[in-house]
Amino acid sequence: MEKNSLIMQYFEWYLPNDGQHWKRLADDAEHLSQIGVNNVWFPPVFKATSTDDVGYGIYDLWDLGEFEQKGDIRTKYGNKEELLHAIKALKEKGIRPIADIVLNHKANADGKEKFKVLKMDPNNRQQSVSEPYDIEAWTYFNFPGRQQTYNDFEWHWYHFSGIDYDAGNDEMGIYMILGDNKGWADNEVVDSEFGNYDYLMFADVDFNHPEVVEHLKEWSSWFVKETGFEGFRLDAIKHIDLTFISEFIETLINEFGPDFFVFGEYWNPDFTANMEYLASIDYEFDLFDVSLHMNLYEASKSGNSYDMRTIFDNTLVKDNPMVAVTFVNNHDTQSGQSLQSPVENWFIQHAYALILLRMGGIPTLFYGDYYGEGYGDHQDAFQEQLDPLLQLRLRYAYGDQVDYFDHGNTIGWTRLGTDEHPDGSAVVMTNGEEGFKSMSMGSLNAHKKFVDFLGNHDAVIELDENGNANFPVRAGSVSVWVSQESI
C-alpha cells in the first residue's frame, strides 16, 4: 500500500560531540519506519575541521570516518563502519538514506601556498579595493592521514576562486584568486547578493576548473557505490555555479537512475528567485520551500494579527508543489545560527499540520523539533505534539483536498480519502479565539461521529445526511477531526 512520503532531517546543530549518532540512528530505524519516515537526510558524513564540526567545514570528502586526520578517526557522528551500518539498518526498513553534500568549499588545509589576489569589497565582491598582490594562504590539501587511499588528487590554490585569510599578513578579508581563467563565477550562475555571492567561506572551490569538475564527478560515483546512499541534499547551491550543478546532477542520475532523489538548499526567501533557479536547472531536482518557512516564522511571531488566509502566498508548495520540499525548522534556523528564524513553540503544531496533512510538497520532520535540541536534555522537544500528526499523515492524509481559507484567523481543509485509504480528515486551526469551520466530509460520511485525533478538543460531532458539520477548534489551537470508528 502506498504511503505518503516524509523526510526526516536526522540531526540538529547542537548534538553532542560523542561519536554515537550513527548508532542512535541505526537503533531508531524501526521507530522511524513506524512514524512514516521513508527518507532520512544525514548530516555531512565527511571528515571536517574537527569532531566538533557539525560537518559543513569540509576537509576530506574521501574520509568517512576511517583515517586519523584532524585529531581523530571518527567524525562528530561516528566512524565509517557505524555509518555503513546505519545506512543498512534504514534500508532494511524501506527508508531511503540521503547524504548532505557540501561541495562549495574546503577547510583546514594541510599547507600554505603563495599566489596573486585582488582584495574585494565584502559588500560588493565585483569591486576590488586593491591592486593585484601576493598573499600566502592555506590552500594546499594532500590529506597525509589518508595517504592517497581511494584517490591521489591534491588541491592547490588554482583549484579555488577565493579565500578569506591572508596567513602571510595575518589579515582577514575577501580575496579573489587571480590567474588563467580565474575569478568569480559569472553573475548569471550564482546568487547576486553582495554583487556576486560566489564566495561564502573557507577556500572557495572553482567549478570552472576542469580538474575540479572531473574530480568531483569521480568522487560522487565512488561515494554512492561505497556507501549505498540513494539521494543527495545539496548544500549552499546559490553560491555554486549552476551550470556545474546541473551537469553534476545529470551525470549522477544517468549513472544511478531516475529514482536517485536530489533536493537543494537555495536559501533565498524571494520566491521569484527560487522559481528562476528551478527553471534554469530545468527542474532537475527539488528545492526547499524557504518562502513557506519564512511565512510560518512570521505567522508564529505575529500571533492573531497574521492573516492565515495568506500562509501559502508566494510559496513553492502552492505554485510548484511537485518540486517543493517543505520544512518548519532546520539546523540553520535554530537560535544562534546564521539564518536564525525558529518558529515559535505555540505554533509548532499548526506549522507541522500545514506541511504534513496537505497535498503537495514533500515535508521534512526536523530532529531538533522532534527530539529536542542537545541530545539528552530534550529542550523544546515536541514529539508528543508531532506523533499524532505523523500518524494522521500515515493513515488519513489522502485523497482530494478542499480548502476553507475564508477567515483571517480560522482556516480549515478536508482530505476526502481514497479507495486505499478511505478514512479522510477535517483539519481546523486558529491563531485567534475559539471558533469553528463549516466543512463537508461528503455523503460517504453521513451521520458518522467525528472526534479530534489530536485530543485538543473533547467534543464528539455528528455529521448530517450530507456529511457536513461545524468542526470546532480551541483558541490558538489545531484540531483534526476523524471518524470515531476509524481510530
Side-chain angles (χ1 to χ4, degrees):
M1 185 184 280
E2 274 296 301
K3 69 178 182 181
N4 285 319
S5 282
L6 176 63
I7 300 165
M8 182 162 189
Q9 177 183 355
Y10 205 83
F11 65 102
E12 53 100 9
W13 197 268
Y14 303 109
L15 284 173
N17 173 18
D18 60 6
Q20 299 299 303
H21 198 58
W22 298 148
K23 290 179 180 174
R24 282 195 285 273
L25 175 51
D27 291 345
D28 209 11
E30 170 66 31
H31 168 242
L32 296 178
S33 174
Q34 288 172 358
I35 62 173
V37 172
N38 50 14
N39 300 274
V40 164
W41 158 22
F42 285 57
V45 303
F46 320 103
K47 188 60 56 75
T49 58
S50 74
T51 58
D52 282 323
D53 196 313
V54 171
Y56 294 99
I58 291 289
Y59 167 65
D60 187 2
L61 289 168
W62 299 80
D63 181 357
L64 310 179
E66 188 179 4
F67 304 99
E68 178 80 49
Q69 299 194 105
K70 300 304 168 191
D72 212 327
I73 291 171
R74 70 169 176 90
T75 65
K76 179 175 183 176
Y77 308 106
N79 63 34
K80 182 179 179 181
E81 188 183 339
E82 292 157 350
L83 167 67
L84 298 181
H85 175 66
I87 291 168
K88 182 168 176 282
L90 291 177
K91 286 182 162 184
E92 285 171 357
K93 296 298 175 187
I95 299 172
R96 173 166 51 190
I98 296 168
D100 196 320
I101 304 302
V102 188
L103 301 178
N104 178 71
H105 48 261
K106 297 186 75 61
N108 212 351
D110 301 306
K112 291 180 280 194
E113 298 175 311
K114 285 186 176 170
F115 47 90
K116 275 200 165 18
V117 298
L118 279 174
K119 192 172 188 181
M120 311 303 286
D121 180 344
N123 296 311
N124 177 8
R125 281 83 180 281
Q126 303 286 51
Q127 182 67 48
S128 64
V129 292
S130 77
E131 295 299 313
Y133 69 105
D134 288 326
I135 69 167
E136 188 178 27
W138 293 92
T139 51
Y140 176 52
F141 293 80
N142 66 336
F143 316 108
R146 180 159 55 82
Q147 297 188 321
Q148 302 188 336
T149 308
Y150 303 126
N151 187 272
D152 62 1
F153 187 82
E154 294 185 355
W155 293 76
H156 293 280
W157 64 269
Y158 46 81
H159 294 128
F160 301 103
S161 61
I163 195 90
D164 63 359
Y165 178 57
D166 172 2
N169 296 308
D170 189 22
E171 189 180 0
M172 299 295 292
I174 294 193
Y175 303 95
M176 186 173 75
I177 296 172
L178 300 177
D180 291 343
N181 299 312
K182 300 303 289 179
W184 303 138
D186 291 344
N187 279 10
E188 293 73 41
V189 294
V190 292
D191 193 73
S192 59
E193 197 176 346
F194 301 120
N196 177 301
Y197 216 173
D198 183 346
Y199 186 83
L200 176 64
M201 62 176 69
F202 301 118
D204 189 74
V205 173
D206 182 356
F207 295 101
N208 280 322
H209 199 295
E211 288 179 8
V212 169
V213 173
E214 198 50 45
H215 175 67
L216 290 176
K217 285 180 182 175
E218 192 181 322
W219 164 78
S220 66
S221 179
W222 167 83
F223 175 65
V224 173
K225 289 171 184 168
E226 187 77 8
T227 59
F229 275 111
E230 296 176 335
F232 282 0
R233 177 264 186 190
L234 303 172
D235 181 62
I237 54 176
K238 77 176 184 180
H239 309 282
I240 298 176
D241 185 327
L242 68 81
T243 315
F244 164 80
I245 284 284
S246 188
E247 191 182 315
F248 178 74
I249 296 307
E250 198 176 315
T251 306
L252 208 64
I253 302 295
N254 286 342
E255 183 171 4
F256 297 108
D259 289 339
F260 195 86
F261 180 35
V262 182
F263 53 102
E265 179 218 20
Y266 187 88
W267 196 276
N268 190 330
D270 179 358
F271 169 68
T272 310
N274 283 263
M275 294 302 288
E276 286 172 354
Y277 187 87
L278 282 163
S280 65
I281 57 161
D282 203 20
Y283 300 90
E284 276 184 316
F285 54 85
D286 299 356
L287 288 186
F288 283 110
D289 196 344
V290 176
S291 306
L292 176 61
H293 162 74
M294 295 311 296
N295 285 1
L296 298 172
Y297 170 65
E298 289 300 330
S300 80
K301 299 291 281 186
S302 304
N304 65 3
S305 67
Y306 190 88
D307 187 341
M308 292 293 284
R309 292 170 296 191
T310 68
I311 197 89
F312 289 109
D313 284 4
N314 297 316
T315 62
L316 281 183
V317 75
K318 181 178 179 181
D319 285 65
N320 213 324
M322 296 300 289
V323 292
V325 176
T326 56
F327 68 102
V328 173
N329 291 309
N330 69 20
H331 60 293
D332 284 325
T333 70
Q334 289 181 266
S335 295
Q337 292 314 304
S338 56
L339 304 169
Q340 175 176 311
S341 48
V343 170
E344 299 270 325
N345 291 0
W346 76 273
F347 199 70
I348 288 285
Q349 198 170 42
H350 293 67
Y352 272 98
L354 286 161
I355 69 170
L356 291 172
L357 304 184
R358 294 175 58 78
M359 297 172 73
I362 300 177
T364 309
L365 173 64
F366 176 45
Y367 187 98
D369 289 338
Y370 192 70
Y371 287 127
E373 297 182 1
Y375 191 84
D377 65 6
H378 297 303
Q379 180 186 345
D380 293 341
F382 296 100
Q383 186 172 349
E384 282 185 21
Q385 289 188 35
L386 298 180
D387 271 338
L389 290 174
L390 295 166
Q391 289 306 312
L392 283 160
R393 179 168 178 80
L394 261 178
R395 295 165 53 192
Y396 296 94
Y398 297 91
D400 290 343
Q401 175 177 299
V402 182
D403 285 342
Y404 297 82
F405 282 40
D406 51 6
H407 187 278
N409 295 121
T410 306
I411 59 171
W413 66 90
T414 56
R415 298 295 299 276
L416 299 178
T418 62
D419 290 342
E420 271 194 308
H421 299 273
D423 296 309
S425 54
V427 185
V428 58
M429 65 174 64
T430 182
N431 62 4
E433 296 173 357
E434 188 163 350
F436 66 89
K437 190 61 58 182
S438 297
M439 301 189 290
S440 176
M441 288 300 298
S443 56
L444 288 176
N445 286 292
H447 301 299
K448 285 187 179 176
K449 289 185 166 66
F450 271 51
V451 292
D452 179 10
F453 192 90
L454 300 181
N456 290 335
H457 204 294
D458 51 10
V460 178
I461 302 165
E462 186 170 345
L463 279 54
D464 69 15
E465 66 276 9
N466 298 312
N468 301 333
N470 290 337
F471 295 93
V473 63
R474 301 268 187 231
S477 184
V478 189
S479 288
V480 184
W481 299 91
V482 300
S483 160
Q484 194 171 35
E485 66 193 35
S486 71
I487 296 176

